[in-house]
Amino acid sequence: MTISALQSERAKYQPKLPNSLQSSVKLVEGKNTQSVADQDEIKKLFPNTYGMPLITFEAGEKKQYPAVNVGVILSGGQAPGGHNVISGIFDGIKNINPESKLYGFLGGPGGLVDHSYVELTATVIDEFRNTGGFDIIGSGRTKLEETAQYDKGTEIMKELGIKALIIIGGDDSNTNACVLAEYYAAQNTGIQVIGCPKTIDGDLKNDMIETSFGFDTATKVYSELIGNVERDATSAKKYWHFIKLMGRSASHIGLECALQTQPNITLISEEVELKKQTLGEIVDYMAGIVAKRAANGENFGVALIPEGLVEFVPEMKILISELNDLLAEGSETEQKFKSFTSKTEGRAFVAGILSAESAKVYTSLPSGIADQLTLDRDPHGNVQVSLIETEKLLGEMVKSKLKEMKKVGEFKGKFGTQYHFFGYEGRCAAPSNFDADYCYSLGYNASFLIAEGKTGYMSSVRNLTAPAAEWIAGGVPVTMMMNMERRHGHMKPVIQKALVELDSAPFKFLAANREKWAIETSFVYPGPIQYWGPTEVCDQPTKTITLERAK
Amino acid sequence: MTISALQSERAKYQPKLPNSLQSSVKLVEGKNTQSVADQDEIKKLFPNTYGMPLITFEAGEKKQYPAVNVGVILSGGQAPGGHNVISGIFDGIKNINPESKLYGFLGGPGGLVDHSYVELTATVIDEFRNTGGFDIIGSGRTKLEETAQYDKGTEIMKELGIKALIIIGGDDSNTNACVLAEYYAAQNTGIQVIGCPKTIDGDLKNDMIETSFGFDTATKVYSELIGNVERDATSAKKYWHFIKLMGRSASHIGLECALQTQPNITLISEEVELKKQTLGEIVDYMAGIVAKRAANGENFGVALIPEGLVEFVPEMKILISELNDLLAEGSETEQKFKSFTSKTEGRAFVAGILSAESAKVYTSLPSGIADQLTLDRDPHGNVQVSLIETEKLLGEMVKSKLKEMKKVGEFKGKFGTQYHFFGYEGRCAAPSNFDADYCYSLGYNASFLIAEGKTGYMSSVRNLTAPAAEWIAGGVPVTMMMNMERRHGHMKPVIQKALVELDSAPFKFLAANREKWAIETSFVYPGPIQYWGPTEVCDQPTKTITLERAK
């Protein structure tokens, strides 16, 4: 196997651990907890795992633990550092007792149900230390939601003598981990379940989980690229670069990248929703900045656009929902729509059956985008929002707006565009020092939670803006982060998603600076992630967490 | 001004110089030279600058040179390291004589003609050391081809006391630099002209110019991203990623990135042209690999596609040329075409007026791509090849092919695609150590060529796979690299473009390995450019130059 020079050198990196986890721990229990909302319902649903105390680990006397067999699952989308969580678990359980064993379930939660697994030996682990990707055992999107699945899990874990399962995933996967913990406790299986907070989206965080892993590395990769594009923009002075960034439901990625690179325009989905901004208003805002910069002779710029934006624009949300109904698989209107061979006629037909409001929105869209809404639907006939080229939609609409403005003398300049989408470029990058250390610590810490017999907890490592030695490790009951939300028509207990809040320090920093950044060219060029070199360059956490914790 | 931690630390980097340039030089003249072809014509066109000897600098006794005012121009597309060439010139002419001055002409060659310039003082230079971009003085695509332009240049250079002009550019710009050198010599202006080899495309190289600057950094950035995407592909096991790479006329970028990352498919334009491959053959080749991998249960992969590919496919070249004629601005057929409001009817019309062969190709294209060929034309009515989404064209055609194969049982798998285009992400990256050193040396070396009174030379730094201390610095007469080629209907003396040669060591390495890489997943993950750390990671030249020089 060929490996790159960087892989070969990086394999030698020993991730840093908090002082408290260096050898043995003393478990300190905090107060009993309650869920962030809907306490009565959640308590009723989680009689065995509700209300448990917060746990902090302090450095303790050397303790004897029995050997423990542990299973691990990677759930959902890739995030940098997953392999380090697993190597942290491996080293952690071996530290607890060298006879301990680690099993990886293959291809995500489905591997548990299908009894597809592999033993993760030292040889395997060593190959994956400090690398990106989830390829060590693969990931998957099967949801563990049914008791039949849980029982299949019990079966294989009993067979392998697995005493604890660690699920590495986002908010949904950790919610399901907790449901599973509750079920296994209720059934007296003796199997513990521990969660680990993963997602590049940054929307799994709260007072006890300061950030999800992968967010640091992914936003650094995107910021490297945005900075490079900014430098190109200001060198060539020829294009507006419209950059779409991965992340459907929250705009933390866009916000963090904006703080790192100071682009001219940053759209935040949550702000659009809260202020009920229309597509027209967004386009006016963008065109206004293009025109102002043009007036200063600067016919170039960079705009950051969150992937999920259109779902936050009220009128688009309604349009998409109407289209989902009207073009539902097998409906009469869908059959009729399918009968058109000409796209133009197809669009005219759709415009005719939409509500007046939605028809207005629909016909205002560039035809290519209108077609993406109706032609590229999923097997259920739903609009595939992730396929909508929001960056091109906005680019074309801004162009039309500028044409109008030119006619009345409000725009005197040129407007050329380049489009980018950054997503897959960052999800599997090799983890930054921060993510390498954080992930390893999360995994190592999880092994102590297991040794101490805990279940229904999420591995928690806090105080992340301090040096790793001073990080605070412990566990947070998953129920503490839950509230009740409507999902697919039913009220369900779920971990509250952390959206960008307009009164948060990171957003306020953007809001206070964006007018200046819009007009003056204030680009910052973060450059590529560095693993060796000055600590200011190599070991900085995100701007988001730095600002959040400085408050 | 906010600058990133990396910018701030990287500003302190002192680029390495060859030992021979450390303080003073001894000029060693080699044999007289001749052009690579068409010697008689070129000699006639360049009576003053033809046949000059190769120059090598050796370390020499401290010499007194008079102060010299120098002008510098950045020409054409951005490439990492341009700022280091300029800081090398600055330090070089100050070393020669502290009273020397450097002027930058703004916005490319047009700045010389329009008398738009700035003095580059130590303060300005220090701000730009080791940074990416061309924003220190900007660049531009004005071509210096007319004597009126040359004379405007003389005017401002006389005014500023400029004795020598350095043009940093690609093959065309260096050709023009030589024409200018010849003109200034013939006119006895006393102004010297020196060229510097720049282009990320890697197509300006020969025995004396081992690589153009920027190629190293740009291909490393693209390889970082390709590696990340590869790791995502093999983790998610869900998508084929079709990645288009910048570079219109040569496939060096794609080849270098392939050697670094070992993707499943690498298309090389030069091979397509030489073997007269049709679009259908290319699609069959790609679909064949997809099917073979699917048979092994691997419904994922990565394909690299050079930006200029379609212009190298013989049938597409003909189609594009027919479309340029038929839809030429103001022609009758163009008027008729414009009258269609329905794209479907427009395409039917176009298919009707093309030759039978081209109509067949045109109607085989996905409709979105066919529209790109006819709707997005430049002001002269020409097809804009750079706007053709070749990666989507191939993706959609491979999909159609696989559908056919599925029907007859030749493909049993899934085929989902993600598309990427990497170009602007790499052109303005901060230079790698290699490019930082190489560019600085090129600039520093140019100042000695000037001090020694040379004109019509390109700055040359060779032996680049050795440590910088052992690099060989000197000058190559530009006429030596020239031949006569037809350009816009006239025979012109131009620097011969270096295309990918099928008997070159880098291509042969690809050819020997690509079948294995296609089927086995042999991805390599180079990771981001590192500036500090182990020399194996930080200071490696490209695979291309390493293989070329190992022969």
PDB file of all heavy atoms in Angstrom, chain B residues 214-230:
ATOM      1  N   GLY B 214       4.617  27.685  -9.617  1.00  0.00           N
ATOM      2  CA  GLY B 214       3.189  27.629  -9.312  1.00  0.00           C
ATOM      3  C   GLY B 214       2.598  26.244  -9.507  1.00  0.00           C
ATOM      4  O   GLY B 214       1.637  25.869  -8.843  1.00  0.00           O
ATOM      5  N   PHE B 215       3.211  25.480 -10.416  1.00  0.00           N
ATOM      6  CA  PHE B 215       2.720  24.123 -10.708  1.00  0.00           C
ATOM      7  C   PHE B 215       2.795  23.249  -9.460  1.00  0.00           C
ATOM      8  O   PHE B 215       1.863  22.489  -9.147  1.00  0.00           O
ATOM      9  CB  PHE B 215       3.563  23.534 -11.847  1.00  0.00           C
ATOM     10  CG  PHE B 215       3.217  22.113 -12.231  1.00  0.00           C
ATOM     11  CD1 PHE B 215       2.010  21.834 -12.872  1.00  0.00           C
ATOM     12  CD2 PHE B 215       4.089  21.066 -11.974  1.00  0.00           C
ATOM     13  CE1 PHE B 215       1.689  20.526 -13.235  1.00  0.00           C
ATOM     14  CE2 PHE B 215       3.770  19.760 -12.337  1.00  0.00           C
ATOM     15  CZ  PHE B 215       2.569  19.494 -12.972  1.00  0.00           C
ATOM     16  N   ASP B 216       3.883  23.393  -8.718  1.00  0.00           N
ATOM     17  CA  ASP B 216       4.086  22.577  -7.511  1.00  0.00           C
ATOM     18  C   ASP B 216       2.978  22.832  -6.490  1.00  0.00           C
ATOM     19  O   ASP B 216       2.323  21.901  -6.009  1.00  0.00           O
ATOM     20  CB  ASP B 216       5.462  22.916  -6.903  1.00  0.00           C
ATOM     21  CG  ASP B 216       5.793  22.077  -5.687  1.00  0.00           C
ATOM     22  OD1 ASP B 216       6.322  20.971  -5.875  1.00  0.00           O
ATOM     23  OD2 ASP B 216       5.511  22.515  -4.558  1.00  0.00           O
ATOM     24  N   THR B 217       2.757  24.099  -6.165  1.00  0.00           N
ATOM     25  CA  THR B 217       1.767  24.449  -5.139  1.00  0.00           C
ATOM     26  C   THR B 217       0.354  24.105  -5.593  1.00  0.00           C
ATOM     27  O   THR B 217      -0.423  23.501  -4.848  1.00  0.00           O
ATOM     28  CB  THR B 217       1.843  25.951  -4.826  1.00  0.00           C
ATOM     29  OG1 THR B 217       3.184  26.282  -4.487  1.00  0.00           O
ATOM     30  CG2 THR B 217       0.919  26.317  -3.680  1.00  0.00           C
ATOM     31  N   ALA B 218       0.016  24.522  -6.812  1.00  0.00           N
ATOM     32  CA  ALA B 218      -1.357  24.311  -7.288  1.00  0.00           C
ATOM     33  C   ALA B 218      -1.692  22.822  -7.302  1.00  0.00           C
ATOM     34  O   ALA B 218      -2.746  22.407  -6.818  1.00  0.00           O
ATOM     35  CB  ALA B 218      -1.538  24.920  -8.677  1.00  0.00           C
ATOM     36  N   THR B 219      -0.784  21.994  -7.817  1.00  0.00           N
ATOM     37  CA  THR B 219      -1.088  20.563  -7.873  1.00  0.00           C
ATOM     38  C   THR B 219      -1.124  19.963  -6.466  1.00  0.00           C
ATOM     39  O   THR B 219      -1.855  19.002  -6.234  1.00  0.00           O
ATOM     40  CB  THR B 219      -0.076  19.795  -8.748  1.00  0.00           C
ATOM     41  OG1 THR B 219       1.249  20.067  -8.291  1.00  0.00           O
ATOM     42  CG2 THR B 219      -0.202  20.190 -10.204  1.00  0.00           C
ATOM     43  N   LYS B 220      -0.381  20.539  -5.541  1.00  0.00           N
ATOM     44  CA  LYS B 220      -0.452  20.033  -4.163  1.00  0.00           C
ATOM     45  C   LYS B 220      -1.797  20.378  -3.525  1.00  0.00           C
ATOM     46  O   LYS B 220      -2.352  19.578  -2.771  1.00  0.00           O
ATOM     47  CB  LYS B 220       0.722  20.557  -3.328  1.00  0.00           C
ATOM     48  CG  LYS B 220       1.975  19.723  -3.580  1.00  0.00           C
ATOM     49  CD  LYS B 220       3.220  20.214  -2.866  1.00  0.00           C
ATOM     50  CE  LYS B 220       4.357  19.214  -3.130  1.00  0.00           C
ATOM     51  NZ  LYS B 220       5.672  19.805  -3.213  1.00  0.00           N
ATOM     52  N   VAL B 221      -2.294  21.574  -3.796  1.00  0.00           N
ATOM     53  CA  VAL B 221      -3.623  21.925  -3.261  1.00  0.00           C
ATOM     54  C   VAL B 221      -4.683  21.007  -3.877  1.00  0.00           C
ATOM     55  O   VAL B 221      -5.523  20.439  -3.167  1.00  0.00           O
ATOM     56  CB  VAL B 221      -3.973  23.403  -3.547  1.00  0.00           C
ATOM     57  CG1 VAL B 221      -5.416  23.702  -3.124  1.00  0.00           C
ATOM     58  CG2 VAL B 221      -3.016  24.333  -2.817  1.00  0.00           C
ATOM     59  N   TYR B 222      -4.644  20.839  -5.195  1.00  0.00           N
ATOM     60  CA  TYR B 222      -5.644  19.976  -5.835  1.00  0.00           C
ATOM     61  C   TYR B 222      -5.521  18.540  -5.309  1.00  0.00           C
ATOM     62  O   TYR B 222      -6.526  17.868  -5.075  1.00  0.00           O
ATOM     63  CB  TYR B 222      -5.497  19.984  -7.364  1.00  0.00           C
ATOM     64  CG  TYR B 222      -5.596  21.361  -7.980  1.00  0.00           C
ATOM     65  CD1 TYR B 222      -4.826  21.723  -9.096  1.00  0.00           C
ATOM     66  CD2 TYR B 222      -6.445  22.331  -7.459  1.00  0.00           C
ATOM     67  CE1 TYR B 222      -4.913  22.996  -9.662  1.00  0.00           C
ATOM     68  CE2 TYR B 222      -6.523  23.602  -8.010  1.00  0.00           C
ATOM     69  CZ  TYR B 222      -5.751  23.933  -9.110  1.00  0.00           C
ATOM     70  OH  TYR B 222      -5.826  25.184  -9.653  1.00  0.00           O
ATOM     71  N   SER B 223      -4.294  18.090  -5.108  1.00  0.00           N
ATOM     72  CA  SER B 223      -4.102  16.714  -4.633  1.00  0.00           C
ATOM     73  C   SER B 223      -4.600  16.551  -3.200  1.00  0.00           C
ATOM     74  O   SER B 223      -5.130  15.498  -2.831  1.00  0.00           O
ATOM     75  CB  SER B 223      -2.630  16.312  -4.734  1.00  0.00           C
ATOM     76  OG  SER B 223      -2.223  16.315  -6.085  1.00  0.00           O
ATOM     77  N   GLU B 224      -4.424  17.593  -2.391  1.00  0.00           N
ATOM     78  CA  GLU B 224      -4.994  17.560  -1.035  1.00  0.00           C
ATOM     79  C   GLU B 224      -6.495  17.292  -1.147  1.00  0.00           C
ATOM     80  O   GLU B 224      -7.040  16.392  -0.491  1.00  0.00           O
ATOM     81  CB  GLU B 224      -4.768  18.904  -0.319  1.00  0.00           C
ATOM     82  CG  GLU B 224      -5.510  19.023   1.017  1.00  0.00           C
ATOM     83  CD  GLU B 224      -5.664  20.461   1.522  1.00  0.00           C
ATOM     84  OE1 GLU B 224      -5.162  21.398   0.879  1.00  0.00           O
ATOM     85  OE2 GLU B 224      -6.316  20.644   2.562  1.00  0.00           O
ATOM     86  N   LEU B 225      -7.156  18.072  -2.011  1.00  0.00           N
ATOM     87  CA  LEU B 225      -8.615  17.976  -2.131  1.00  0.00           C
ATOM     88  C   LEU B 225      -9.039  16.650  -2.743  1.00  0.00           C
ATOM     89  O   LEU B 225     -10.000  16.022  -2.297  1.00  0.00           O
ATOM     90  CB  LEU B 225      -9.146  19.145  -2.962  1.00  0.00           C
ATOM     91  CG  LEU B 225      -8.823  20.525  -2.391  1.00  0.00           C
ATOM     92  CD1 LEU B 225      -9.381  21.621  -3.283  1.00  0.00           C
ATOM     93  CD2 LEU B 225      -9.362  20.669  -0.977  1.00  0.00           C
ATOM     94  N   ILE B 226      -8.313  16.212  -3.757  1.00  0.00           N
ATOM     95  CA  ILE B 226      -8.650  14.929  -4.389  1.00  0.00           C
ATOM     96  C   ILE B 226      -8.491  13.808  -3.358  1.00  0.00           C
ATOM     97  O   ILE B 226      -9.351  12.930  -3.239  1.00  0.00           O
ATOM     98  CB  ILE B 226      -7.747  14.677  -5.617  1.00  0.00           C
ATOM     99  CG1 ILE B 226      -8.036  15.724  -6.706  1.00  0.00           C
ATOM    100  CG2 ILE B 226      -7.972  13.266  -6.176  1.00  0.00           C
ATOM    101  CD1 ILE B 226      -6.958  15.811  -7.785  1.00  0.00           C
ATOM    102  N   GLY B 227      -7.412  13.857  -2.594  1.00  0.00           N
ATOM    103  CA  GLY B 227      -7.203  12.860  -1.545  1.00  0.00           C
ATOM    104  C   GLY B 227      -8.348  12.869  -0.542  1.00  0.00           C
ATOM    105  O   GLY B 227      -8.852  11.808  -0.145  1.00  0.00           O
ATOM    106  N   ASN B 228      -8.775  14.053  -0.138  1.00  0.00           N
ATOM    107  CA  ASN B 228      -9.898  14.136   0.809  1.00  0.00           C
ATOM    108  C   ASN B 228     -11.168  13.542   0.213  1.00  0.00           C
ATOM    109  O   ASN B 228     -11.921  12.849   0.887  1.00  0.00           O
ATOM    110  CB  ASN B 228     -10.158  15.592   1.208  1.00  0.00           C
ATOM    111  CG  ASN B 228      -9.098  16.147   2.149  1.00  0.00           C
ATOM    112  OD1 ASN B 228      -8.164  15.444   2.526  1.00  0.00           O
ATOM    113  ND2 ASN B 228      -9.218  17.406   2.516  1.00  0.00           N
ATOM    114  N   VAL B 229     -11.399  13.850  -1.062  1.00  0.00           N
ATOM    115  CA  VAL B 229     -12.588  13.320  -1.739  1.00  0.00           C
ATOM    116  C   VAL B 229     -12.475  11.799  -1.876  1.00  0.00           C
ATOM    117  O   VAL B 229     -13.450  11.068  -1.681  1.00  0.00           O
ATOM    118  CB  VAL B 229     -12.777  14.009  -3.110  1.00  0.00           C
ATOM    119  CG1 VAL B 229     -13.808  13.275  -3.955  1.00  0.00           C
ATOM    120  CG2 VAL B 229     -13.193  15.471  -2.918  1.00  0.00           C
ATOM    121  N   GLU B 230     -11.277  11.315  -2.180  1.00  0.00           N
ATOM    122  CA  GLU B 230     -11.065   9.869  -2.271  1.00  0.00           C
ATOM    123  C   GLU B 230     -11.382   9.189  -0.941  1.00  0.00           C
ATOM    124  O   GLU B 230     -12.021   8.131  -0.899  1.00  0.00           O
ATOM    125  CB  GLU B 230      -9.599   9.565  -2.646  1.00  0.00           C
ATOM    126  CG  GLU B 230      -9.274   9.842  -4.100  1.00  0.00           C
ATOM    127  CD  GLU B 230      -7.818   9.519  -4.443  1.00  0.00           C
ATOM    128  OE1 GLU B 230      -6.974   9.471  -3.519  1.00  0.00           O
ATOM    129  OE2 GLU B 230      -7.523   9.354  -5.629  1.00  0.00           O
TER     130      GLU B 230
END
